[in-house]
């Protein structure tokens, strides 16, 4: 017996555990597709469907003297005419074009502080008569 021999350490189980951990992390890692981040249409992926046409929102502005403007164009200025015929006609055409395009009509109403409440209600009634349900208010 030789007393000078050193004890040997077996590293094969350590290598096995290392490989098992490596395989575990490779299997559980999800790989991201680089093409998805580029928002490009690659050959063979495109479809024949067309995208929806976006219709811009309509801006209705009511001044303090009850004048009604659509996109800075005067349409109704008579405060005694509660049916606002020109506004109603423009809203109906706008709603029809939005329906044809397959999008939702959106009207943004901006009122001056001194606008009579009845004039605002007249504009809302014209929107409702045209079938426009998406109405928002702006300052």
């Amino acid at each position: 017996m030789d007393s000078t021999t050193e004890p040997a350490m077996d590293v094969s189980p350590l290598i096995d555990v290392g490989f098992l951990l490596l395989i575990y992390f490779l299997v559980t890692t999800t790989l991201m597709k680089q093409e998805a981040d580029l928002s490009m249409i690659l050959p063979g992926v495109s479809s024949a469907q067309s995208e929806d046409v976006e219709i811009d929102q309509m801006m209705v502005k009511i001044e303090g003297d009850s004048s009604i403007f659509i996109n800075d164009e005067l349409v109704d200025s008579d405060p005694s005419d509660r049916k606002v015929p020109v506004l109603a006609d423009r809203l109906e055409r706008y709603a029809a074009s939005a329906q044809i395009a397959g999008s939702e009509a959106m009207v943004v109403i901006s009122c001056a502080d001194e606008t009579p409440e009845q004039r605002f209600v007249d504009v809302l009634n014209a929107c409702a008569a045209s079938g426009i349900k998406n109405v928002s208010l702006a300052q």
Side-chain angles (χ1 to χ4, degrees):
M1 276 208 202
D2 190 14
S3 64
T4 60
T5 61
E6 294 187 22
M9 181 178 199
D10 191 18
V11 292
S12 61
L14 182 64
I15 293 173
D16 290 342
V17 169
F19 280 126
L20 287 174
L21 286 174
L22 180 66
I23 292 171
Y24 172 77
F25 286 117
L26 285 175
V27 170
T28 58
T29 303
T30 58
L31 299 175
M32 293 178 48
K33 290 185 179 181
Q34 294 296 328
E35 296 85 9
D37 293 338
L38 299 177
S39 68
M40 299 170 89
I41 299 175
L42 299 176
V45 180
S46 66
S47 63
Q49 298 175 357
S50 65
E51 295 186 21
D52 292 338
V53 176
E54 294 290 328
I55 299 292
D56 290 336
Q57 61 190 10
M58 182 178 278
M59 298 289 296
V60 177
K61 185 176 182 182
I62 308 171
E63 294 289 330
D65 62 349
S66 297
S67 299
I68 300 174
F69 293 85
I70 294 179
N71 298 334
D72 296 327
E73 178 186 342
L74 180 66
V75 290
D76 283 310
S77 60
D78 184 15
S80 63
D81 190 6
R82 301 217 15 232
K83 295 189 188 239
V84 289
V86 178
L87 175 67
D89 180 53
R90 296 283 286 279
L91 288 173
E92 285 176 14
R93 286 190 286 156
Y94 172 65
S97 65
Q99 184 178 11
I100 289 171
S103 66
E104 188 173 353
M106 181 177 177
V107 175
V108 178
I109 301 174
S110 174
C111 289
D113 290 336
E114 58 274 356
T115 301
E117 290 86 7
Q118 184 59 51
R119 196 62 165 172
F120 176 70
V121 171
D122 293 340
V123 172
L124 288 179
N125 287 339
C127 289
S130 301
I132 298 174
K133 297 177 182 171
N134 194 358
V135 177
S136 63
L137 302 175
Q139 290 181 329

